[in-house]
Amino acid sequence: QVQLQESGPGLVKPSQTLSLTCTVSGVSVTGGGYYWTWIRQHPGKGLEWIGNIYHSETYYNPSLKSRVTISADTSKGQISLKLTSVTAADTAVYYCARTLTHRDTWFGPWGQGTLVTVSS
Amino acid sequence: QSVLTQPPSASGTPGQRVTISCSGSSSNIGRNDVYWYQQLPGMAPKLLIYDNNRRPSGVPDRFSGSKSGTSASLAISGLRSEDEADYYCAAWDDSLSGSGVFGGGTRLTVL
């Protein structure tokens, strides 16, 4: 059974870098032919696709591309998200999810999500 | 401002049939499959419909999806109190370098 769990600081100061980790269990992050996607949800709002990764191949939302880096650590079974120069607009619940291809919006399973607040 | 447009709210009484619309364009729904997600309060979204009209195992057949042109719909028949949740549509968008896009979500209230 594949499970995902996000972790990282719940509070980040403006202009700093947001760093989150998604720990994957039940399957290798570079095996099984799956992509791993980051999605965020602003408080009380809808969902936003951030980007995904397959081995070292990455795809990013054009609106976030200049600030986002997604990477994979096979030995730890983790997918990481880094978002630079954060502002209050980056306050959101961040989810990781498995998907089938880089252009897929079939997501499952999802992690439980982690809330990140950007504030001084 | 979401790329896909959904009504912010919908409602119905137990046993009724409710539909939720999702409007897009030729760069997303017009050329790619539509997916629907159910988000219960405080939980992560859960896949409800994939490939426009297919249900993952475990999803009741009360839920159905359809797509026509640049629009899609989710129908819920035999409405139950546990269906009260937020519903999101999603599709791939081929504009620029491509990106996944979602609707703004529809909050379904069971009266």
Side-chain angles (χ1 to χ4, degrees):
Chain A
Q1 181 185 359
V2 178
Q3 292 184 310
L4 296 82
Q5 182 159 341
E6 305 88 349
S7 60
L11 182 64
V12 180
K13 289 181 171 22
S15 80
Q16 293 191 341
T17 296
L18 178 160
S19 295
L20 296 176
T21 297
C22 173
T23 300
V24 179
S25 59
V27 70
S28 166
V29 298
T30 54
Y34 296 111
Y35 285 70
W36 305 95
T37 301
W38 284 98
I39 295 162
R40 68 181 182 180
Q41 184 169 32
H42 296 101
K45 300 289 178 61
L47 301 160
E48 181 178 25
W49 185 88
I50 298 172
N52 60 33
I53 186 168
Y54 176 73
H55 291 265
S56 58
E57 182 183 316
T58 54
Y59 298 87
Y60 300 129
N61 187 322
S63 68
L64 297 170
K65 188 173 183 177
S66 63
R67 298 194 294 130
V68 173
T69 302
I70 297 175
S71 59
D73 186 329
T74 305
S75 64
K76 294 182 180 178
Q78 294 178 335
I79 305 296
S80 296
L81 170 71
K82 291 190 187 304
L83 183 65
T84 62
S85 304
V86 297
T87 69
D90 294 308
T91 293
V93 174
Y94 287 77
Y95 295 100
C96 57
R98 181 183 64 173
T99 192
L100 296 178
T101 72
H102 88 268
R103 47 179 289 119
D104 220 320
T105 50
W106 179 101
F107 303 116
W110 297 57
Q112 85 282 0
T114 187
L115 174 63
V116 177
T117 301
V118 178
S119 175
S120 55
Chain B
Q1 192 81 356
S2 300
V3 174
L4 305 180
T5 301
Q6 296 180 237
S9 63
S11 63
T13 56
Q16 272 191 330
R17 183 175 187 270
V18 171
T19 60
I20 297 171
S21 62
C22 175
S23 177
S25 68
S26 58
S27 64
N28 43 64
I29 293 179
R31 64 175 66 184
N32 296 304
D33 289 329
V34 176
Y35 298 76
W36 288 91
Y37 293 86
Q38 178 192 59
Q39 186 175 33
L40 297 171
M43 304 289 285
K46 168 193 151 187
L47 182 66
L48 203 60
I49 296 289
Y50 69 99
D51 291 357
N52 306 313
N53 55 19
R54 304 185 71 170
R55 285 185 309 277
S57 61
V59 173
D61 60 6
R62 302 186 296 104
F63 294 90
S64 62
S66 63
K67 178 182 125 172
S68 178
T70 59
S71 294
S73 292
L74 172 71
I76 309 171
S77 59
L79 200 60
R80 304 176 68 160
S81 59
E82 57 260 39
D83 298 333
E84 191 160 285
D86 293 329
Y87 293 84
Y88 294 91
C89 58
W92 186 259
D93 190 293
D94 287 311
S95 60
L96 297 177
S97 54
S99 174
V101 292
F102 291 91
T106 298
R107 175 150 296 178
L108 174 63
T109 301
V110 181
L111 302 170

